[in-house]
Amino acid sequence: MARMNEHFLKLTSSYLFSEIAKRVNTYKETHPEADIIKMGIGDVTLPLPEACIKAFHEAVDEMARAETFKGYGPEQGYPFLREAIAEGDYRSRGVEIDAEEIFISDGAKSDTANFQDLFSSDAKIAIQDPVYPVYIDTNVMAGRTGVFRNGRYEGVVYLPCVPENDFLPDPPKEKVDVVYLCYPNNPTGAVAPRDYLALWVEYARRHDAIILFDGAYEAFIRDPEIPRSIYEIPGAREVAVEFRSFSKTAGFTGTRCAYTVVPKECRVKDGEGRFHSLHDLWFRRQSTKFNGVSYPVQRAAAAVYTPEGQAQVHANIAYYMENARIFREALLGLGYACTGGENSPYIWVETGTDSWEFFQILLERAQVVCTPGAGFGKSGEGFVRFSAFNFREHVEEAARRISTVFSGATP
Ligand code: MLT
C-alpha cells in the first residue's frame, strides 16, 4: 500500500473556512428559518464590473470562431494582460516592473501556497501570527515544521501581531530564510507604513532572506502615505516577491485570476553557494505544474485597466469600504476596540473572550457569521474578524442586530 505524506498528520484540523462553513451548516439544519448574514470568509457579493463582463463575452465569442480561437496560451500569461498590469499597477505609480516579471495565475491563494516549492526543505520560515492559514499549512505539508504543540508548530518563527505592537511586529533577532508578510493585513486589517516595510527590506538584504509579500488587498488602501507595493521600498527588487489578485479588487473570487511578480534580481543559493534566479525557478515550476488561466478570463482581467474598468472597480471598492465604515462604527459604538476597516475590508475586533465561543454566541443570538481569531493562530485568540464584503442592506442589518443583542454588555 502506498505510504502517505505523514506531514499532513501534523495539520491541526480542517481548513479554517471549511470548519466555519461546517458549523454554519450544522446551525442551519437545526434552525432552517434563520436568516444568516455571512461576514466570515472574505467573498465578494457585487457582480463583475461591466467592462470585465463585456470583455469576457467578446473573448468567449472569439473562442467560437476558428480564426480567433485560442488553444494553450503563453505560459506566463498573455502579454496584453501582463503589460496592462505592469503599466496600470506599477509604472504609472512610479515603480519599475517589467511585464516579463509578471506571472498570471488562478489565485494568490495557490501562488502563496505553491511558492514554497522553491525553497529547501530545511528553510527557516517566519510568519505573522495571526496569519492567513495557507502560508503555514503549506509549509507543514512540505515538512518544513515540527509538530503542533501549545498552539504553534515547532521550528517556525512566529511574529505576534498584537495591539502592543500595533499589529506590526519587528523582524526577528535570528536569521530566517523566508518571511511571509501580508499588507493590508489579513486578518487584522492593519496597514504597513513605509518605514515599517523598509525595516523588512533591510532585514532581508542583511540576512539573504526572501520576503513573500501578499498584497491581495492593496486596492483597499485609501491613505496616500501607505505604500501600495513592497517595490516602493528601495532595494526590495532583490529580496521580495509580490502576490496580487483580482479576487477582491475586481470581484474575481469565482472567476479566478491573479498574478505574482518575481523580479529578475531575486536570487537564492544552492548547497554549494551558487546563485539561482527565483524568476527562472518559478517559471520552471509553473510551466511544469500549471497550464495557465483561460483566455476569456485574462481578457476580463485586462478590462480592469481600461478607464471604464477603473471607474467601476473603484466604485465597487468604495461600496465595500462604506460597509466597513458602517460596521466598524457599530462595533466602536458597542465599546469594542477595532483595527482595520479603514484601508482594508477586514475589521479585527478585540472581544477578550474565547473566539470560537464568541463566533457561536454571535451565530446563535444574532445569526451573524464572523471568523474566530484563533483560527488564524494563537495570537488571534480573543479577537474575531468581520468581512465587509456583503450587500449594504445585510451589513446594516447585521449592525442593527449586534447593536441590539450586545448593547450594554459585551457577550
Ligand atoms: C479570507 O476570508 O481570508 C479570504 O477570503 C480567503 C482567501 O482569499 O482565500
Side-chain angles (χ1 to χ4, degrees), residues 15-17 40-44 108-110 132-134 186-187 214 216-217 245 247-248 253 256 346 371 376 385 387 389:
Y15 182 60
L16 173 61
F17 295 105
I41 192 164
D43 195 3
V44 290
K109 177 177 184 172
S110 15
Y132 179 44
V134 171
N186 180 12
D214 186 348
Y217 300 94
S245 170
S247 282
K248 315 297 157 86
T253 53
R256 312 306 309 153
Y346 295 129
T371 306
F376 295 104
R385 190 196 78 177
S387 152
F389 294 113

